[in-house]
Amino acid sequence: MASSASETAVQVAGDKYRSFLDDEDHVHKIQWRHGGPPIFDSVNKLFEEGRTKEWPKGSLEEIVQNAVKSWEMELSHKTRIQDFKTINPEKFKLIVNGRQGLSAEETLEIGSYNALLKSSIPEEFKYYKAEQESFESSHDAFRSAFPRGFAWEVIAVYTGPPVISYKFRHWGYFEGPFKGHAPTGELVEFYGMGILKVDESLRAEDVEVYYDPAELFAGLLKGQPISDDQTLETASGCPFHK
């Protein structure tokens, strides 16, 4: 699932976990969603402090971990499929928990959170209604809940290219309001499995993700209900403490 980052960058920003953010010629040709390449310092710090594995440089695990982070970066911060370097756009499909696959354009239109959180359960039982959220509103909701970011790591890799299977962990600290629930400050995390089919250039053709959304929402719904006014006040905070 997507990681949060500062979105105020206007200069080229290299990143040791995400490809293509240190390629100046490439960066300046991109149409960035927020006007410039993102900065991931906050979520990188969270990742380094909270990861359970530190993979050797050049290992298959590190390559898979960085490849997924790079793909998520492109999906969250680029606005045109032709600017993506991590996927084969003609063949790409995102399949979540066995649902019908989404094309590259469909995934880019709704955003990673909505793609990962769509559900066929009855409306009255849904924790999160992806079909009612836009790309922007979904990212705003999770940036609010996890102001330090939502970190992601590879726990294990079971098979190598061209069909890569792996286990992952996603985590953050619930320190901001989420959908009318007050923050608890507690760690929220979940685990899942991924299957990544790549071409000869290691571009993703199929991405399959399997996980239990209840693991995520169990932490986010623990917060006490708050009013809309309280949500706005908590989200905006005092400008002198930014």
Side-chain angles (χ1 to χ4, degrees):
M1 190 169 287
S3 302
S4 298
S6 167
E7 284 147 5
T8 58
V10 293
Q11 298 178 344
V12 174
D15 188 280
K16 57 186 173 182
Y17 303 117
R18 296 163 184 85
S19 304
F20 322 126
L21 278 177
D22 55 0
D23 181 343
E24 185 166 357
D25 289 338
H26 173 72
V27 164
H28 285 303
K29 295 176 182 176
I30 300 305
Q31 287 190 10
W32 296 101
R33 189 171 297 276
H34 302 281
I39 296 174
F40 290 91
D41 291 352
S42 179
V43 75
N44 284 351
K45 184 173 186 292
L46 178 68
F47 166 73
E48 289 164 0
E49 292 174 347
R51 62 186 168 187
T52 61
K53 306 284 186 180
E54 187 168 356
W55 301 112
K57 189 171 181 60
S59 64
L60 178 59
E61 291 85 357
E62 187 206 41
I63 291 169
V64 172
Q65 183 169 263
N66 291 356
V68 175
K69 287 178 184 286
S70 296
W71 169 68
E72 189 280 330
M73 176 274 293
E74 292 194 307
L75 179 59
S76 295
H77 297 281
K78 295 180 178 181
T79 62
R80 304 183 304 183
I81 289 297
Q82 62 262 39
D83 291 334
F84 281 46
K85 299 182 74 172
T86 58
I87 69 170
N88 182 330
E90 290 77 25
K91 295 184 177 181
F92 180 86
K93 289 289 182 183
L94 173 62
I95 301 163
V96 180
N97 288 338
R99 293 195 302 270
Q100 182 177 355
L102 296 172
S103 69
E105 290 287 357
E106 288 170 329
T107 305
L108 179 61
E109 180 181 358
I110 67 174
S112 55
Y113 286 115
N114 289 332
L116 292 167
L117 293 170
K118 288 183 70 174
S119 173
S120 59
I121 64 175
E123 285 292 311
E124 62 268 28
F125 299 118
K126 286 185 179 180
Y127 321 109
Y128 176 92
K129 298 181 179 182
E131 63 279 0
Q132 297 180 12
E133 301 284 346
S134 67
F135 185 111
E136 290 76 15
S137 69
S138 64
H139 279 255
D140 287 346
F142 285 92
R143 275 196 299 267
S144 168
F146 301 118
R148 283 194 279 164
F150 200 22
W152 188 93
E153 70 170 334
V154 161
I155 298 296
V157 176
Y158 303 110
T159 58
V163 180
I164 303 165
S165 59
Y166 58 93
K167 182 178 181 180
F168 67 85
R169 171 178 172 250
H170 221 332
W171 76 98
Y173 287 89
F174 183 21
E175 296 170 328
F178 178 79
K179 296 291 183 182
H181 290 268
T184 63
E186 296 179 0
L187 173 70
V188 174
E189 64 181 342
F190 68 89
Y191 293 81
M193 298 289 298
I195 302 173
L196 181 65
K197 182 181 178 182
V198 298
D199 64 14
E200 62 278 2
S201 300
L202 296 182
R203 297 181 304 167
E205 295 184 343
D206 288 330
V207 178
E208 295 184 52
V209 179
Y210 298 91
Y211 77 107
D212 181 0
E215 280 193 282
L216 168 63
F217 289 108
L220 292 174
L221 300 181
K222 284 175 67 176
Q224 293 296 314
I226 54 178
S227 69
D228 291 340
D229 289 343
Q230 287 175 303
T231 301
L232 179 61
E233 181 181 352
T234 306
S236 60
C238 173
F240 298 104
H241 294 281
K242 294 292 186 183

